[in-house]
Amino acid sequence: MSIIGKKLSVQPSQAFLDGHSAYTGQILGVDLSNGKLWVDTPDDSFYRKYIGGRNIILYYLLSDMPVQADPLGEENLLIFAPGLLTGTALPGAGRHAVGGKSPLTGSLGSCEVGGWWGAELKRAGFDAVVIRGKAAESVYLWIKDGCVEIKSAQHLWGKLTAEVQEDIRQELGDDRVRVAQIGPGGENQVRFASVMHDIGRAAGRSGLGAVMGSKGLKAVAVRGSFNVGLRDPDKLQPVRKWIYDHYKTLMSWATTRGTPGSVKPNHDVGCVAINNYRDGVFEGIEKLDGEHLHAVYIKEHDTCFRCPVRCKPVFEHDGEDLSVDGVYGGPEYETISAMGPLCMIDDPVIVAKANELCAAYGLDTISTGGTVAFAMEANEKGLLPADMHGPNFGDGESLLESIHQIASRSGLGELMAEGSARMAEKLGPQAADMLAVARGQELPFHDPRMKHTLAMGYALSATGADHMHNYNDAFASFPDGDIAIRFKEMGLSGALPLWGISEEKIEGFLVETGFKNFYDCAVICHFYPYTFQHMADAIGAAGGWDIAPQEIYEIGQRAINLGRLFLIREGFTAQDDALSSRAFYRLDDGPIAGKGLTPDSLREWLGVYYRCMGWDAEGVPEPGALSALGITRFRDD
């Protein structure tokens, strides 16, 4: 039986229709195996407790997904979850989360993305979309003002992301339709495939594009005309005024050069990984820095829903040998680091082209660069199969060819599409010493040998290595920085030292990861320097509640503990809270020469963290810790 043409029509809550609520009261359910469409209608207490984003993802995964489900099977869930503040007038609230069980790590897949899609879903009448099952033929979802339809995507399968967005908009007769989609990387179930939004915004990590591809779902198109309101608009006004008064100074780095502006500064302090983590200095780094890119290649800055900052670089180049299309945006710091120093490439056009290919194919740039660099070293050491041609360090053409191969799973791409950890298992014991992963996911480019508390965060993250819902040792050491201000709000003394781990830094880690996980529930851009009080006022305005800063912290802690419970039920133990060999590799040159954690010291500090969290010696949350957060039932389950 075909599911094409199945429809549903519902209306959001009256409070939302009247402009008096930030949430619609509707969570859309979709079963692609049979075409069933329905709506869950949680009460107000659900929204106050879980807020949105990562907490809603974890709520549904723990409640509705069978234990040990195959990440690429029909039992896995694919969840699109804006936050309570998504679509409101608060700057920085134009984001949403995408989640499921990760096919890369087997753990939680939960990542956040900007642009316009999340706000448009709220404006279309839904607070989240939870997708089950697997379609017998390729389909896409069309959601508009409470109406949902399953449409054929057979004519879209195999196409690149820019073409698909244009085709869907033409088919629906509206060039303001917002599209979340997969490219060929997701169709071919590359384990680090992204879900792309507005062409150039990636829900990049954990391979959720592969989950989408496994379900035969090419895209989710949304368009809405409802207004996202607030229960208490007056409470939000001081927060909005504060950020508009201060963002040009507090976020000047973002308004001028964006994340590419941090490439050379990060290199110069030892934060950027070079030559697959084996070198401390990269000659030619200035060619990849924001100063040079803006002078030559970056034509403008793009932005996200209701964001005045405009930090997104648009890179264009029309060369005789290689051109870069600005429709795909431009490379950010992580992408530049992944495709540049990690692979020993200093050509900004090659790096930007690699970014374009990843956006067109739908691939996570961090895992793509990490896996290609791993393959480069494996090729250098003669570990690749004799019948497979591998890439070489410093060779831009081989980098680009590797991306083509990964997306199509051709040649060596069949191995690389599995990610570096699985690739290492295939290549033998020697390859394990070349790995830079945590929980099977490639490390971002904030070097754990420099930022030791962040290294602990890599090991602990339920999603595998992640720098966003983490503690950044460098930023936390700025006396006037937003992190130090949040520390003081929660009773700590302020800025903390850069180097090492201490009990005081673990206290800071609890505060900051609680706040950052709250951000990923709300869902707020991490670049915005809000405080706990700002967020308490904003959430109070959205829901009409009397919120204190402590409750903001508890919402984030709820996400951390739910993530821990998800890991445990999927078979992970404290021994999996670890970093691979290359994270402990001592450099001979550069600013962090000879520095870094040891596996034993990391394990010791993890034990301290468990105790501070109210977890037992094996990292399992104790009933008392969960009871305080109102989530004991998930431990019992």
Side-chain angles (χ1 to χ4, degrees):
M1 179 186 72
S2 175
I3 64 172
I4 305 298
K6 295 283 188 178
K7 296 181 180 180
L8 173 73
S9 182
V10 292
Q11 287 282 3
S13 70
Q14 193 60 49
F16 184 81
L17 290 173
D18 292 340
H20 300 318
S21 177
Y23 48 97
T24 72
Q26 298 189 139
I27 294 177
L28 174 64
V30 179
D31 191 330
L32 293 174
S33 295
N34 54 28
K36 182 181 178 184
L37 303 167
W38 70 96
V39 167
D40 294 336
T41 55
D43 60 19
D44 286 359
S45 64
F46 175 90
Y47 288 98
R48 180 166 182 172
K49 185 173 185 177
Y50 295 106
I51 298 297
R54 180 166 298 135
N55 266 340
I56 282 186
I57 288 166
L58 282 160
Y59 173 86
Y60 275 96
L61 288 176
L62 289 165
S63 300
D64 292 1
M65 191 190 78
V67 177
Q68 299 292 329
D70 179 357
L72 297 175
E74 59 183 85
E75 290 182 328
N76 196 6
L77 306 182
L78 178 67
I79 303 165
F80 293 83
L84 195 66
L85 293 166
T86 305
T88 67
L90 181 71
R95 297 175 68 79
H96 67 280
V98 185
K101 183 178 179 181
S102 167
L104 181 67
T105 66
S107 62
L108 173 66
S110 176
C111 47
E112 297 69 48
V113 57
W116 305 77
W117 192 94
E120 201 70 23
L121 179 68
K122 291 275 286 286
R123 286 169 53 81
F126 297 100
D127 297 313
V129 182
V130 182
I131 301 166
R132 299 165 168 80
K134 180 177 182 178
E137 54 186 317
S138 56
V139 299
Y140 77 92
L141 288 177
W142 168 223
I143 302 172
K144 181 179 181 181
D145 289 343
C147 299
V148 185
E149 181 179 0
I150 301 175
K151 299 178 73 71
S152 173
Q154 289 183 309
H155 59 302
L156 303 173
W157 205 257
K159 293 184 177 181
L160 303 180
T161 54
E163 186 179 2
V164 168
Q165 178 169 284
E166 181 62 25
D167 286 353
I168 288 177
R169 286 176 169 179
Q170 287 188 6
E171 181 176 318
L172 299 175
D174 188 343
D175 63 5
R176 295 184 67 185
V177 168
R178 301 294 175 179
V179 180
Q181 60 168 306
I182 54 171
E187 295 171 1
N188 292 321
Q189 296 174 37
V190 174
R191 288 185 185 270
F192 46 87
S194 302
V195 181
M196 302 302 300
H197 302 73
D198 304 317
I199 303 175
R201 271 78 167 191
R205 311 241 60 197
S206 304
L208 295 168
V211 175
M212 196 164 168
S214 74
K215 295 184 175 301
L217 180 64
K218 179 64 174 176
V220 183
V222 297
R223 183 75 166 96
S225 61
F226 301 127
N227 290 319
V228 181
L230 298 164
R231 292 282 176 92
D232 188 355
D234 291 343
K235 198 175 267 189
L236 188 65
Q237 284 306 107
V239 183
R240 292 184 72 240
K241 184 179 186 308
W242 178 84
I243 197 64
Y244 276 112
D245 287 347
H246 293 94
Y247 81 88
K248 289 182 180 178
T249 1
L250 296 177
M251 304 172 71
S252 60
W253 65 270
T255 60
T256 53
R257 293 290 181 259
T259 63
S262 64
V263 171
K264 189 174 186 301
N266 274 345
H267 165 273
D268 292 349
V269 298
C271 190
V272 176
I274 302 164
N275 193 18
N276 201 29
Y277 289 82
R278 294 180 295 174
D279 290 347
V281 177
F282 181 58
E283 298 296 334
I285 190 67
E286 65 281 349
K287 298 177 186 177
L288 302 175
D289 189 60
E291 286 295 326
H292 178 64
L293 298 185
H294 277 76
V296 181
Y297 301 107
I298 293 179
K299 305 305 179 185
E300 61 177 324
H301 277 175
D302 196 3
T303 192
C304 299
F305 178 83
R306 285 191 172 172
C307 177
V309 175
R310 303 191 67 85
C311 73
K312 301 287 292 181
V314 177
F315 189 113
E316 289 183 352
H317 177 69
D318 187 12
E320 291 184 9
D321 299 323
L322 202 61
S323 295
V324 180
D325 190 346
V327 73
Y328 291 104
E332 301 280 358
Y333 165 75
E334 296 290 339
T335 304
I336 294 169
S337 300
M339 308 301 180
L342 193 71
C343 296
M344 300 296 285
I345 291 168
D346 65 2
D347 185 341
V349 177
I350 291 289
V351 169
K353 189 66 179 181
N355 176 77
E356 176 191 312
L357 292 177
C358 286
Y361 287 136
L363 299 173
D364 172 34
T365 59
I366 297 175
S367 282
T368 297
T371 300
V372 173
F374 172 85
M376 286 174 170
E377 186 174 344
N379 190 36
E380 175 188 289
K381 293 180 174 176
L383 300 180
L384 296 180
D387 60 342
M388 290 186 175
H389 178 68
N392 296 302
F393 284 109
D395 183 350
E397 289 302 320
S398 69
L399 167 65
L400 300 182
E401 178 58 26
S402 293
I403 296 173
H404 291 302
Q405 290 179 332
I406 289 168
S408 61
R409 282 186 172 268
S410 60
L412 187 62
E414 184 61 45
L415 281 178
M416 291 190 288
E418 294 292 294
S420 59
R422 283 182 174 82
M423 191 176 176
E425 290 176 1
K426 295 280 188 182
L427 298 183
Q430 282 180 279
D433 289 337
M434 299 152 37
L435 276 176
V437 299
R439 218 176 294 281
Q441 179 160 267
E442 289 72 19
L443 300 183
F445 302 102
H446 297 265
D447 200 311
R449 295 167 297 188
M450 174 195 176
K451 301 178 179 182
H452 299 167
T453 321
L454 177 135
M456 186 177 73
Y458 283 163
L460 285 164
S461 172
T463 65
D466 192 287
H467 62 294
M468 296 302 290
H469 52 263
N470 207 332
Y471 172 105
N472 191 307
D473 298 68
F475 298 162
S477 69
F478 299 157
D480 298 324
D482 56 306
I483 298 178
I485 291 170
R486 290 194 289 268
F487 286 166
K488 290 178 180 177
E489 278 188 287
M490 302 304 284
L492 301 183
S493 60
L496 296 172
L498 169 61
W499 292 100
I501 306 178
S502 64
E503 293 201 12
E504 187 179 23
K505 286 186 78 173
I506 287 182
E507 290 179 14
F509 182 86
L510 264 65
V511 169
E512 184 63 3
T513 56
F515 188 80
K516 290 295 174 61
N517 274 270
F518 163 80
Y519 258 15
D520 290 342
C521 298
V523 182
I524 306 294
C525 174
H526 286 233
F527 294 165
Y528 274 81
Y530 292 123
T531 65
F532 279 94
Q533 187 61 59
H534 287 143
M535 291 295 94
D537 291 342
I539 291 294
W545 305 308
D546 184 14
I547 298 278
Q550 179 65 24
E551 188 169 341
I552 298 301
Y553 174 73
E554 289 170 359
I555 291 165
Q557 285 295 322
R558 192 170 290 123
I560 293 169
N561 279 273
L562 288 173
R564 191 69 182 182
L565 292 177
F566 183 79
L567 287 180
I568 292 164
R569 76 161 219 167
E570 295 302 312
F572 290 88
T573 70
Q575 295 308 305
D576 297 303
D577 298 340
L579 303 178
S580 65
S581 176
R582 198 48 64 87
F584 303 105
Y585 183 93
R586 296 298 175 103
L587 296 171
D588 295 327
D589 62 348
I592 60 169
K595 296 180 179 178
L597 286 172
T598 65
D600 287 343
S601 63
L602 175 61
R603 179 60 50 195
E604 178 184 347
W605 287 115
L606 285 170
V608 175
Y609 172 80
Y610 297 161
R611 291 195 297 274
C612 290
M613 286 291 290
W615 300 354
D616 68 19
E618 296 303 314
V620 178
E622 298 279 15
L626 300 179
S627 176
L629 298 170
I631 52 174
T632 307
R633 81 168 180 89
F634 293 107
R635 189 183 197 274
D636 296 339
D637 292 343

